[in-house]
Amino acid sequence: MTNVKTSSLGFPRIGLNREWKKSLEAYWKGKTDRETFLKEIDEQFFAALKTQLDQQIDIIPVSDFTFYDHVLDTAIMFNWIPERFKDLNDPLDTYFAMARGTKEAVSCEMTKWFNTNYHYIVPEYEKNAQYRLTKNKPLEDYKKAKTALGVETKPVILGLYTFVALAKGYETQDIKDIYQQMIPLYTQLLKELEQEGVKWVQIDEPALVTASPAEAAAAKEIYEKIKDNVSGLNVLLQTYFDSVDAYKELISFPVEGIGLDFVHDKGKNLEHLKAHGFPKDKVLAAGILDGRNIWKANLEERLDWTAELISGLGASEIWIQPSNSLLHVPVAKHPEEQLADDLINGLSFAKEKLSELTLLKEGLVSGKAAVQSQINDANEHLQALKRYGAATNTAFAEERDKLTEEDFARPTAFEERLRIQNESLGLPVLPTTTIGSFPQTAEVRSARQKWRKQEWSDEQYGSFIKEETKRWIDIQEDIGLDVLVHGEFERTDMVEYFGEKLGGFAFTKYAWVQSYGSRCVRPPVIYGDVEFKEPMTVKETVYAQSLTSKKVKGMLTGPVTILNWSFARYDLPRKEIAFQIAHALRKEVEALEKAGIQIIQVDEPALREGLPLKERDWNEYLTWAAEAFRLSTSSVQDTTQIHTHMCYSNFEDIVDTIEDLDADVITIEHSRSHGGFLDYLEQHPYLKGLGLGVYDIHSPRVPPTEEMLTIIEDALKVCPADRFWVNPDCGLKTRQPEETIAALKNMVEAAKQARDKLAQTV
Ligand code: GLN
Ligand code: ZN
């Protein structure tokens, strides 16, 4: 008989009411002193543990909880403190300085945690640094939990293989040295835990999912060396976010347990397990509930599936758990959330997922009959959710069936479109434009607040937006830009704005998840078929166009970005959801065109973010992502110019997809890319419209004209001038008006000088 336990890999830090965020921000602003801050954070540490205990989870994690980020915790713990922060003597000041920067030292870089929307602080390797274990955070947290609550917890540690994979500042040949330096420190850390009597630690190694057999073998050596000296402590080696290709190597690691994600693995982990078996002397920690979606599980199906897994396993112990840390879902359903019952009942956040696990355990131990009534309830909730989603449906299924290849392609080839558009748009060479948003000043934000709180009527707010638009149309004319924008003053967020106007989306008031540090987001919830209801941007765009004889560019968020920044429904493939959004946006594009807008930009900043972890899965994703984009943009006349925008430089890795979007113009970030991308373009010319960002919008600095002129001239060495655009890196909503105006004036002047020079050379 297999012993079944429930386990949690990690829990959200932010608290049901974002207490964590509030404590952090109050402390940073100096509104609370350190003592109060530490006391508050401690309470939150215990609250997270108690929530998990209340769900009767057998194995509770500690040290997943943090002041900011668990990767930063790991770096600090091993004294990976870059030289520029060494003057700060206080550990907590150093910690926050690395995360947020100081006047003297820029913060460490931040980047996406695998394929999630969580961002971690990138550890920086420095060659001659003295690495050592400065504090044993897992041990401290373990003791704290034990003393206060009397519970035996499982410390969570980020594994060395993954930690190094996430770090920067070294060359591949340094890796062995880094391992050499770090293995004794990890050993010491684990030894101290062992001495304290800790039974299990969870060592997270998500980077192993993409490791080749050779890389996995190198990782195995790490564990052999560590385990040589720490034999009395059980190690659970935890992987997640995908299957493990090097499964055969993985099961031979000298550890007592292995954690596998059976949800995001496309069935591969089970295949490997069946083909190569699973060691009888190890615990299998099976990720069986989706730790990344927000939906109630199909408990009956999960129960049957897990029972079958166990029967084939013949192991003495199995842990059932979410597929990954619950960091990526909201804490718990909030008692005050105002959503339809059918929707609320279909949701399952971190706390609820853990209670689902407890129920599954009960079903596995005592038999299905013991939990049949709860299973029936869950089934009913899922049925009701489906009906609720379907009630708002247009007959998309029908429309979907009618889509043909032509709906995904513009009828005329690019070169011909370019000729036609050049004639009808009448733009100068090297046209200047911006990416869409203008400064969302305190005034703009407070106007929206007043309107949301109903202190302002729709009319009042509407006329404020109009005034702001008019002011910025005048400013743009004054600056001398060629293609203008309305400024996006009516939008807080580029996904929320559209989601609120489309059918099939719901917005929660309390379902926050951490994006990075204290920043939390509330992703929209896609629960039904996405439906176009009425034009979403026509009024603002047409108004802006009525104020000027220059062309105003319409601004939409693309289907892939809307999908990637939302919680998607579980019962349709992502591709189909993207197509639904695309189909709705297509109607918006048509409405804009009909209203006389000749240039329409469909932003896809999150397209690359959605890339699967494994390269072999990229093609499938990129193919449908490009199809979705084309579905939204292909029904226009040849005279209508489609733009797109992406927020990153160096698109080498997705260049075929960019080509595949068949946009007339793409604008991308470029100002900080140090020429590497131009070398690439020299080898692989890009022949459609291209706007390379000529200035960094992340900084208040106003770059001089010459600097931007140099960027333009360098670009023109490899880009055809008759299709090159001049623009900033991204939208300007976070900038101040003065600096924005000054920088754009310089940019327009740079474009003018570049044109003059071009004219001389012909
Ligand atoms: N049009 C958007 C803006 O200018 C684009 C934002 C983005 O790329 N993230 O704000
Ligand atoms: Zn951008």
Side-chain angles (χ1 to χ4, degrees):
M1 185 62 192
T2 309
N3 190 15
V4 181
K5 287 185 179 157
T6 52
S7 178
S8 162
L9 281 70
F11 200 74
R13 301 129 189 183
I14 59 178
L16 186 61
N17 291 303
R18 285 182 299 154
E19 293 85 352
W20 188 76
K21 171 194 179 71
K22 290 167 195 162
S23 296
L24 278 166
E25 291 177 1
Y27 175 64
W28 292 337
K29 285 192 191 126
K31 287 189 184 152
T32 46
D33 59 18
R34 182 174 293 193
E35 199 187 328
T36 315
F37 166 69
L38 292 175
K39 199 174 131 266
E40 288 174 2
I41 291 288
D42 244 17
E43 283 164 10
Q44 294 157 23
F45 166 91
F46 289 119
L49 288 179
K50 281 190 196 133
T51 308
Q52 297 173 83
L53 282 168
D54 286 347
Q55 310 316 306
Q56 293 159 32
I57 294 301
D58 299 319
I59 303 161
I60 310 254
V62 276
S63 213
D64 57 319
F65 192 87
T66 169
F67 282 136
Y68 196 96
D69 164 47
H70 54 279
V71 183
L72 177 59
D73 289 352
T74 314
I76 294 265
M77 193 160 75
F78 293 119
N79 205 36
W80 281 49
I81 298 170
E83 205 43 55
R84 64 185 185 280
F85 300 103
K86 287 277 164 67
D87 292 344
L88 293 160
N89 288 317
D90 179 79
L92 192 61
D93 289 348
T94 309
Y95 184 94
F96 287 135
M98 282 171 67
R100 310 175 62 231
T102 62
K103 281 205 187 70
E104 294 76 33
V106 289
S107 60
C108 297
E109 202 183 298
M110 186 172 71
T111 196
K112 260 170 81 76
W113 173 248
F114 297 89
N115 56 357
T116 72
N117 289 331
Y118 176 79
H119 299 75
Y120 69 92
I121 300 290
V122 180
E124 289 175 31
Y125 176 73
E126 284 176 350
K127 197 138 196 143
N128 297 313
Q130 287 299 311
Y131 294 133
R132 59 198 161 83
L133 182 66
T134 57
K135 79 183 225 156
N136 194 332
K137 177 175 179 283
L139 179 64
E140 286 173 17
D141 288 348
Y142 170 86
K143 286 203 225 164
K144 210 159 79 180
K146 188 156 185 183
T147 313
L149 305 175
V151 287
E152 197 55 61
T153 52
K154 169 192 64 175
V156 179
I157 300 155
L158 182 60
L160 179 53
Y161 179 76
T162 299
F163 178 71
V164 173
L166 298 179
K168 66 169 197 182
Y170 62 85
E171 304 288 330
T172 323
Q173 69 262 23
D174 300 333
I175 291 186
K176 275 223 145 75
D177 281 352
I178 305 179
Y179 288 163
Q180 289 274 312
Q181 277 184 72
M182 294 295 291
I183 286 171
L185 308 185
Y186 268 84
T187 308
Q188 185 189 344
L189 176 116
L190 293 180
K191 252 202 126 48
E192 289 176 15
L193 289 167
E194 181 186 29
Q195 276 154 10
E196 185 63 29
V198 172
K199 301 204 172 51
W200 278 96
V201 292
Q202 169 186 319
I203 303 192
D204 282 357
E205 288 285 17
L208 278 178
V209 303
T210 47
S212 64
E215 288 163 336
K220 183 177 163 184
E221 267 179 46
I222 298 177
Y223 285 85
E224 280 166 349
K225 289 187 180 142
I226 293 177
K227 279 300 262 174
D228 263 354
N229 296 301
V230 201
S231 50
L233 176 72
N234 293 315
V235 171
L236 177 85
L237 188 73
Q238 182 65 51
T239 66
Y240 41 83
F241 297 149
D242 213 320
S243 63
V244 180
D245 291 341
Y247 177 87
K248 263 167 63 184
E249 287 73 19
L250 184 77
I251 53 173
S252 72
F253 274 49
V255 292
E256 288 68 29
I258 290 176
L260 297 172
D261 179 341
F262 288 107
V263 177
H264 303 105
D265 66 329
K266 300 202 172 82
K268 282 267 184 295
N269 275 337
L270 187 61
E271 260 174 45
H272 293 319
L273 190 142
K274 284 185 174 154
H276 306 291
F278 189 83
K280 300 255 181 293
D281 60 343
K282 290 193 198 329
V283 168
L284 172 64
I288 58 166
L289 283 186
D290 194 330
R292 295 181 60 176
N293 84 3
I294 51 165
W295 306 106
K296 196 162 262 187
N298 182 336
L299 291 173
E300 178 142 40
E301 184 274 336
R302 288 287 81 194
L303 186 57
D304 294 345
W305 189 94
T306 312
E308 200 186 316
L309 173 74
I310 293 176
S311 73
L313 201 62
S316 60
E317 185 158 311
I318 185 170
W319 298 359
I320 55 170
Q321 56 187 26
S323 54
N324 49 268
S325 165
L326 295 168
L327 179 64
H328 308 292
V329 295
V331 178
K333 290 201 258 182
H334 198 286
E336 284 162 44
E337 193 74 84
Q338 304 277 323
L339 294 171
D341 283 350
D342 285 346
L343 180 51
I344 294 228
N345 289 335
L347 296 173
S348 173
F349 297 161
K351 175 179 150 197
E352 291 81 20
K353 283 182 192 291
L354 294 181
S355 72
E356 290 181 317
L357 270 184
T358 300
L359 195 101
L360 286 171
K361 175 183 162 183
E362 172 71 15
L364 290 167
V365 174
S366 314
K368 202 192 244 179
V371 292
Q372 193 61 54
S373 74
Q374 288 102 314
I375 286 183
N376 293 347
D377 286 351
N379 277 342
E380 254 165 54
H381 288 156
L382 289 179
Q383 290 305 325
L385 175 67
K386 231 187 164 82
R387 283 194 300 274
Y388 181 69
T392 51
N393 291 351
T394 46
F396 181 76
E398 257 167 60
E399 296 191 49
R400 171 79 176 95
D401 284 345
K402 279 188 272 169
L403 293 177
T404 63
E405 252 173 55
E406 274 123 60
D407 294 310
F408 291 87
R410 294 190 72 173
T412 308
F414 169 75
E415 286 295 333
E416 178 63 8
R417 295 196 313 257
L418 177 67
R419 200 188 53 74
I420 295 170
Q421 289 162 13
N422 278 346
E423 253 167 45
S424 72
L425 294 172
L427 297 170
V429 282
L430 310 182
T432 53
T433 191
T434 62
I435 306 303
S437 57
F438 277 119
Q440 293 253 334
T441 53
E443 223 192 331
V444 174
R445 287 198 306 267
S446 110
R448 186 159 36 239
Q449 283 303 321
K450 286 188 199 138
W451 172 63
R452 289 238 151 121
K453 287 190 197 140
Q454 297 182 347
E455 287 164 24
W456 272 20
S457 66
D458 289 355
E459 292 73 49
Q460 247 172 323
Y461 179 63
S463 57
F464 173 84
I465 296 290
K466 272 178 134 178
E467 273 166 39
E468 203 61 13
T469 306
K470 172 153 186 0
R471 212 158 62 77
W472 277 91
I473 288 286
D474 293 346
I475 293 172
Q476 292 173 80
E477 290 211 324
D478 195 46
I479 294 171
L481 287 155
D482 300 308
V483 171
L484 314 193
V485 295
H486 76 285
E488 301 181 24
F489 301 106
E490 74 288 5
R491 306 180 191 175
T492 11
D493 175 280
M494 60 189 295
V495 171
E496 184 186 67
Y497 181 78
F498 290 92
E500 281 179 341
K501 294 184 173 349
L502 291 165
F505 281 80
F507 289 84
T508 66
K509 210 164 161 211
Y510 299 99
W512 296 95
V513 291
Q514 186 188 1
S515 168
Y516 64 87
S518 68
R519 196 183 144 84
C520 301
V521 293
R522 261 177 319 181
V525 174
I526 305 178
Y527 66 88
D529 280 1
V530 176
E531 174 187 26
F532 175 87
K533 292 198 207 153
E534 55 182 7
M536 301 173 276
T537 63
V538 172
K539 190 176 86 195
E540 290 78 7
T541 319
V542 165
Y543 172 69
Q545 183 65 83
S546 75
L547 303 169
T548 174
S549 57
K550 296 262 178 80
K551 301 289 178 214
V552 170
K553 176 164 72 163
M555 279 297 148
L556 307 177
T557 304
V560 185
T561 296
I562 292 183
L563 174 64
N564 283 347
W565 286 348
S566 298
F567 277 124
R569 56 197 279 195
Y570 67 94
D571 58 345
L572 264 190
R574 291 177 76 77
K575 168 180 170 179
E576 290 304 314
I577 308 173
F579 281 13
Q580 289 187 359
I581 304 170
H583 198 256
L585 290 171
R586 179 182 178 99
K587 295 183 185 165
E588 182 70 14
V589 168
E590 287 166 6
L592 281 169
E593 181 183 60
K594 198 157 157 240
I597 303 302
Q598 275 179 280
I599 305 181
I600 301 168
Q601 177 172 313
V602 178
D603 291 327
E604 284 290 18
L607 190 140
R608 189 162 78 183
E609 283 189 23
L611 277 176
L613 287 180
K614 303 198 181 198
E615 247 178 276
R616 63 165 181 264
D617 299 327
W618 284 16
N619 193 33
E620 187 202 339
Y621 164 76
L622 290 171
T623 303
W624 66 250
E627 282 169 355
F629 181 87
R630 293 202 312 272
L631 179 59
S632 62
T633 52
S634 288
S635 60
V636 293
Q637 310 285 314
D638 294 341
T639 43
T640 299
Q641 188 167 68
I642 297 291
H643 289 218
T644 187
H645 163 72
M646 295 182 187
C647 293
Y648 32 80
S649 47
N650 307 21
F651 58 50
E652 290 93 317
D653 49 352
I654 56 163
V655 70
D656 292 340
T657 306
I658 306 261
E659 185 67 45
D660 216 17
L661 299 178
D662 200 22
D664 296 302
V665 178
I666 178 167
T667 54
I668 62 164
E669 175 179 317
H670 175 69
S671 72
R672 294 181 296 176
S673 67
H674 308 297
F677 184 51
L678 294 182
D679 295 342
Y680 173 83
L681 283 179
E682 188 171 13
Q683 301 301 319
H684 311 86
Y686 183 78
L687 295 176
K688 290 176 184 161
L690 180 62
L692 298 181
V694 296
Y695 84 86
D696 179 13
I697 54 87
H698 300 97
S699 146
R701 177 171 171 268
V702 175
T705 302
E706 307 74 66
E707 198 177 302
M708 297 196 251
L709 181 62
T710 309
I711 296 184
I712 299 171
E713 291 188 318
D714 286 346
L716 289 180
K717 289 176 196 149
V718 296
C719 302
D722 66 337
R723 55 202 68 184
F724 190 80
W725 287 66
V726 176
N727 47 263
D729 275 347
C730 189
L732 296 159
K733 69 172 167 215
T734 57
R735 296 269 59 88
Q736 288 305 311
E738 307 68 44
E739 67 211 27
T740 300
I741 295 170
L744 288 176
K745 278 189 174 153
N746 290 355
M747 183 185 90
V748 167
E749 176 58 26
K752 190 172 154 287
Q753 292 181 16
R755 270 173 217 152
D756 290 348
K757 289 200 184 176
L758 271 182
Q760 283 160 21
T761 54
V762 197

